Amino acid sequence: MDAVQSNALAQQQFDGLVSALRAHGVNVLVFDDTPAPPTPDSIFPNNWLSTHADGSVVLYPMEAVNRRTERRMDIVDALNSEHGFDVLRTLDWSEHEARGVFLEGTGSLILDRVHRVAYACVSTRTDTELAHQWCEAFGYEPVLFAANDANGKAIYHTNVMMCVGSTFAVVCVDSIDPQSRDLVLQWLDDTGHDVIPISHAAVAGFAGNMLELVGGDGALRVAMSAQAEAALTPAQHQQLAQHARIVSAPIDHIEAQSGGSVRCMLAEVFLPHR
C-alpha cells in the first residue's frame, strides 16, 4: 500500500486501541502530532517522557536524532493546565545526547514503582552510568543485565522482553545473560512477583511489550496487542489473567511498520491530580 493508505490504517488501529482501553475504564489522553518537524515515531511517547507521583516529569536523551524533536513541553504543560495534573518539576536529561549517552525512558527502564526497583538491559540506548544516576535521583534499586534475542543480538529496549506489574512479571528469561539471570529472578521473587516466562518466539510476537493499567473502578488491566495475546500459550494466558483483566486490540500494521507495540504507545501518568 502507499503511504496515505498505510497512515490511514495505522490511525484506524491507533483509534481502535484507544477505544478498547476506554471500554475497559482506562482514562486515555490523546495528543495530536504536529505537522512539522516530521516525527515518524511519535506514536511511542514512553521513550521521551516519564511522570512520577512526586510531581516530577523526566525528559530523556534519545539515540536516534530524528526522535529528539518528539520531546514536547506543550504536552507537559497541557497535563498541568488542561487535565488537572500537578507538574511540580521537570528534569531535562536530554543534555546527555551531546556526549552520546542515552536512556530512553520506560523503554530502557522497567519500573516496579511499588518496591522501587528499576530493571534495565544494557544497550546503546540504555547507558549503565545514566541508569544508576536515574535510580539514585529517584530512590530506586538498579537491577541491570545484558539480554540478547534468539539470534544473539543485544536487545535494544528492556520493554521488548519484560513487563513488571504489581504482582506479576512477564519475562523472556532465556534472553537474559546467564550471569545475571538468577539476580533478576531473585529480585522478582523477593518482591512477590509471579513470574510468567515467555519464549523468544513470543517476544517476536510482542508478548513482552505489555503494560499494567488501572481502570476507573480501581481494577487492574493489562494492555497488549492482539498479536501479543495470540503469542501467549493457554497456560500463560490463564496465569496472567489471574492478576489482571487482559485488554487487547489488533495493531499488527503498526507493529509491522514501526517495530513497536502497545506498551511503547502508552506513557503512564502518575502525577498527582487536583
Side-chain angles (χ1 to χ4, degrees), residues 57-89:
V57 168
V58 186
L59 309 179
Y60 290 91
M62 312 277 282
E63 183 178 56
V65 174
N66 72 328
R67 296 206 63 189
R68 297 174 186 176
T69 50
E70 293 175 27
R71 292 187 295 260
R72 289 174 49 189
M73 281 304 300
D74 64 306
I75 290 178
V76 176
D77 293 341
L79 291 174
N80 186 59
S81 62
E82 298 176 25
H83 298 287
F85 294 99
D86 285 328
V87 178
L88 303 180
R89 65 169 181 165

Side-chain angles (χ1 to χ4, degrees), residues 2-78:
D2 62 25
V4 173
Q5 292 173 312
S6 178
N7 189 66
L9 180 54
Q11 183 69 61
Q12 178 184 340
Q13 293 188 346
F14 178 96
D15 293 342
L17 174 61
V18 171
S19 296
L21 292 172
R22 287 176 173 164
H24 283 81
V26 178
N27 181 26
V28 182
L29 306 178
V30 177
F31 294 92
D32 290 334
D33 200 359
T34 54
T39 52
D41 293 312
S42 62
I43 197 171
F44 303 131
N46 78 309
N47 296 133
W48 68 264
L49 172 76
S50 71
T51 69
H52 303 270
D54 66 353
S56 296
V57 168
V58 186
L59 309 179
Y60 290 91
M62 312 277 282
E63 183 178 56
V65 174
N66 72 328
R67 296 206 63 189
R68 297 174 186 176
T69 50
E70 293 175 27
R71 292 187 295 260
R72 289 174 49 189
M73 281 304 300
D74 64 306
I75 290 178
V76 176
D77 293 341

